[in-house]
Amino acid sequence: MTRTNITIRKDPKFMKFGFFDDAAKEYCITTPFTPLPWINYLGNDGFYGLISNTAGGYCFYRDAKLRRIARYRYNDVPGDIGGRLYYIKDQDTVWSPAYRPAETELDSYECRHGMGYTTFNSSKNDVNAKLTFFVPLGSACELHKLEIVNNSSSAKELTVFSGIEWCLWNAVDDSQNYQRNLSIGELEVVGSTIYHKTEYRERRNHYAFFTVNAEVDGFDTDRDVFLGARRSWNNPVSVENGKSGNTVASGWYPIASHSIKVKLAPGEKKTYVFQLGYIEVPREEKWESKGVINKKPAIELINKYNTTEACEAAFDELKKYWNELLSIYHVESKDDKVNRMVNIWHQYQVMVTFNMSRSASYWETGIGRGMGFRDSCQDLLGFMHLIPERARDRIIDIASIQFENGSTYHQYQPLTKRGNADIGGGFNDDPLWLVACTAAYIRETGDTTILDHPTPFNNVEGSEKPLMEHLRRSINFTINNKGPHGLPLIGRADWNDCLNLNCFSEEPGESFQTFGPSEGPVAESVFIAGMFVKYGKEYADICDYVGLADEAKTIRAEVDKVKAATEEFGWDGEWFLRAYDAYGNKVGSNECEEGKIFIEPQGFCTMAGIGQEKGYGAKALDSIYKHLMNDYGIEILAPCYTTYHVELGEISSYPPGYKENGAIFTHNNPWCSVAATVIGDAEKAFDIYKRSCPAFLEDVSEIHRTEPYVYSQMIAGRAAVHYGEAKNSFLTGTAAWVVVDITQAILGVQPTLKGLSIKPCVTKDFGSYKVTRKFRGATYNISVIQDGSGKGLVVDGNAVEGNLIPDTGKKEYSVEFYI
Ligand code: GLC
Ligand code: GLC
């Protein structure tokens, strides 16, 4: 039986698993039985949590690998058990407001994922429970607010149980070093607070706690006593018996669980605030007395949120925070789906990718790679307008892992901010992304002082040079590393991590990214050529802007050389070539048997304007439609590789239609949409945007399977067994690029070095629309009016030549743009 034949597929009521509630900025999930866990993120800065629509997931402080607070098992069967465990025992019935862990059938269930919070609203046997999870701004803790109402006509005597399973901090050790781990777990219990202090006795100066703002009737910290022999989280013996064991664990599997007896008169409601917190203590203040941890900072944090009012005030503050962030760019068009995605979910997803890079999702375990260089640089492209100050700090962090020669580590660990030596460098697109995000930062803010910021190389103290020097070395790295056709050398890989032209791996287990003579002098990337032309120009513009006219000229000449080389050696007749391999053979050419056409250079070279006079861009886009377009977007290449090619690497390791071998790798779809706007093709631009846009796929959720409010990394291509099925939701560079695409390229509100420019590329059908944009301290109320007059820009009633809104120092501008 193939998966697409399973019964839910045929039942129309399972086409969707919820609905958008735009007014509340929420997605409301109406069943626990989504095809996959549908998740959300909690936390803004430091303390982060992942939470599914059955309250599964985990949390960590800054670094999902090194500072994991709650334990999570990725390969569990069934999946996604564990997480935030709440049970309500009502006589013989035990149920969970999030359906899990008890898995008792509910009378009603609802999960709402909102901006930095998730709520559950469920009922069973005339008891209603509402659970709200969020991380309050500026505090290192999760709050879990539980409201229980007795809707029956008689009194109820319930017992509420909570539960968290502690991770022993380092999530890698935690999942493998059992010979040590099972002896080191330590806790303290004081009143309603359970403190997790494993390894605090030695080198750690942090601990965690789980508390509730009520007197408890019992607690457990020993998992095996809580669960009972051979039982799982869905039926712990202590919950069944309605009685905690009052255990203080020593070693084995430390958990934290409270039990509270709750008496409710008919109609009565009670509210409890649970708090899961993380505390760091200065080394010299670690102990209250011998072996007893210093709880002062924990008590301070606990007291901050130990009333319903304080918890609710913190929740309101979080909502306000998001409302303000989302007021920076706001569109009103007649297309609800566009409004919803632009005003809420695209920007939200960008915040998540900014915070997480590709480290911690339900598909990235948080124990593998940390922050990616190119990933984080690109995430910034869509994040810039939200919190420019954080963007600035991030740019400096990223630039600090660059090597003196302009190349860079490919990844770094967020806690240490050091480059990851296991993967090293040699991904030759990386340096140019630094130029991309810095240029975008300056366009957004006008702040050129960032270019003077003393920034080290490879984090070596004393090696600091102004950030501008880092950008210069990035640009020069491409100039100094070209191959036989005058095109940039690819190195280990370019944006496509799986196009490994210098790898030649024959043994299983070897890393495609790090194996082999990666510095090959022959294999070239047409994609990097496109990047260099685009970002070389942006670098030259910065040079001009800060008065380095000579350098601008030199770089423009270099750009012209690569442009000419690409037009001569990078064009295949109907589309751009992808690369030359280590033998000098073409990759992504009509001459190839498989992998005749790739998406990446079509998007980037067209965005860069390569061959524009010759009509290359329009041809490239037509070819995309002809060879790569499917129902849900543009596939990465066609035809897929059906056998392993040692000279191409990981790309040919995937079965056809998956991942980099022919899936829609959503990240690069907006490149093509932006490219379409560069050649003025509004129809194609909007069509490409819509095809893979999550809200537009909501109605096929049973095929798509991942969350309809965020992008997934890939959607299986036509050659795949499960065509249309998405994978790896949430952490993808698509989020940032799509913000650039729809808000700037299509709707046309574009930050430039000189100010805000209005340059829409919309279809007639899209109609007129309004955008509010806060930019460099002023608010722009923009109306794009499709009246056929073609009058162009009018600012505060005065017609203006061109597209740039002149900055007259006002706080508010009224702008019209007539098409
Ligand atoms: C993954 C990587 C990203 C890469 C892409 C294509 O998403 O995180 O860096 O560009 O795959 O291979
Ligand atoms: C693997 C993944 C690819 C990802 C890369 C990151 O190769 O398949 O998608 O970009 O790892 O290093």
Side-chain angles (χ1 to χ4, degrees), residues 729-797:
S729 64
F730 247 114
L731 301 186
T732 159
T734 319
W737 270 103
V738 104
V739 168
V740 173
D741 177 28
I742 185 79
T743 70
Q744 300 179 17
I746 295 179
L747 298 175
V749 181
Q750 304 178 355
T752 73
L753 292 176
K754 297 195 177 111
L756 207 57
S757 175
I758 309 297
K759 223 172 168 182
C761 185
V762 284
T763 61
K764 259 216 164 67
D765 287 350
F766 191 74
S768 303
Y769 57 95
K770 289 192 166 124
V771 173
T772 317
R773 176 67 153 94
K774 294 184 187 155
F775 178 75
R776 299 191 193 176
T779 301
Y780 293 80
N781 301 308
I782 303 157
S783 298
V784 173
I785 300 155
Q786 298 219 46
D787 63 355
S789 70
K791 270 195 311 197
L793 188 61
V794 175
V795 180
D796 293 326

Side-chain angles (χ1 to χ4, degrees), residues 349-355 357-358 371-399 412 433-444 450 467 667 732-733 735-737 739-740 744 751 773:
Q349 188 174 3
V350 159
M351 174 68 95
V352 172
T353 56
F354 172 82
N355 286 332
S357 188
R358 307 295 168 270
M371 313 287 277
F373 188 97
R374 80 157 81 85
D375 295 330
S376 291
C377 285
Q378 288 173 89
D379 293 343
L380 282 164
L381 300 176
F383 176 81
M384 221 51 91
H385 65 290
L386 290 172
I387 316 178
E389 305 75 35
R390 283 186 76 191
R392 190 188 208 270
D393 292 346
R394 176 65 58 79
I395 291 171
I396 302 299
D397 281 354
I398 297 172
Y412 72 102
W433 294 115
L434 183 65
V435 177
C437 65
T438 309
Y441 171 80
I442 300 173
R443 288 196 296 268
E444 178 66 34
I450 190 175
L467 179 69
H667 182 144
T732 159
W737 270 103
V739 168
V740 173
Q744 300 179 17
R773 176 67 153 94

Side-chain angles (χ1 to χ4, degrees), residues 369 374 410-411 423 427 495-498 512-513 650 654 659-660 665 713:
R369 49 185 159 162
R374 80 157 81 85
H410 193 48
Q411 292 159 7
I423 184 127
F427 296 77
W495 171 86
N496 190 328
D497 263 332
C498 301
F512 290 103
Q513 275 78 36
E650 186 170 4
Y654 287 111
K659 295 279 285 182
E660 281 90 338
F665 215 92
Q713 183 201 57

Side-chain angles (χ1 to χ4, degrees), residues 61 278 390 413 437 583 588 812:
Y61 185 73
Y278 169 86
R390 283 186 76 191
Q413 212 53 40
C437 65
Y583 304 108
E812 196 150 348

Side-chain angles (χ1 to χ4, degrees), residues 68-219:
R68 186 79 64 106
I69 293 166
R71 183 175 279 163
Y72 191 75
R73 290 174 195 75
Y74 274 89
N75 260 342
D76 236 343
V77 178
D80 195 35
I81 54 173
R84 299 152 187 90
L85 312 159
Y86 285 90
Y87 306 85
I88 297 173
K89 181 172 162 62
D90 179 0
Q91 299 190 348
D92 288 340
T93 306
V94 174
W95 60 284
S96 296
Y99 176 69
R100 277 186 159 171
E103 295 180 16
T104 303
E105 201 184 319
L106 300 172
D107 297 337
S108 73
Y109 159 97
E110 191 182 270
C111 165
R112 286 173 174 260
H113 288 318
M115 306 286 102
Y117 66 88
T118 290
T119 62
F120 294 89
N121 193 348
S122 305
S123 52
K124 181 77 186 171
N125 297 348
D126 294 323
V127 174
N128 176 266
K130 199 169 173 206
L131 252 172
T132 305
F133 296 94
F134 70 104
V135 172
L137 293 172
S139 290
C141 66
E142 260 182 40
L143 299 182
H144 306 173
K145 185 176 72 157
L146 174 65
E147 299 160 272
I148 324 178
V149 187
N150 176 6
N151 288 325
S152 77
S153 49
S154 48
K156 288 257 184 193
E157 292 196 8
L158 313 170
T159 314
V160 167
F161 288 82
S162 69
I164 286 290
E165 185 176 5
W166 301 113
C167 179
L168 307 182
W169 302 114
N170 181 325
V172 178
D173 281 354
D174 184 72
S175 64
Q176 27 180 281
N177 197 7
Y178 303 112
Q179 60 78 27
R180 170 182 161 86
N181 294 349
L182 299 181
S183 293
I184 63 174
E186 287 192 298
L187 300 124
E188 285 179 35
V189 181
V190 179
S192 303
T193 309
I194 296 162
Y195 296 91
H196 177 225
K197 60 169 186 178
T198 299
E199 288 189 344
Y200 190 78
R201 62 164 56 244
E202 29 124 347
R203 290 155 299 174
R204 292 193 184 274
N205 53 357
H206 43 263
Y207 61 80
F209 65 83
F210 190 38
T211 191
V212 58
N213 68 342
E215 233 174 80
V216 296
D217 293 280
F219 61 88

Side-chain angles (χ1 to χ4, degrees), residues 487 526 565-572 575-578 580 605:
L487 298 168
V526 176
T566 311
E567 288 175 13
E568 188 173 353
F569 301 110
W571 180 249
D572 197 53
W575 56 78
F576 290 99
L577 276 181
R578 179 63 177 87
Y580 286 93
C605 294

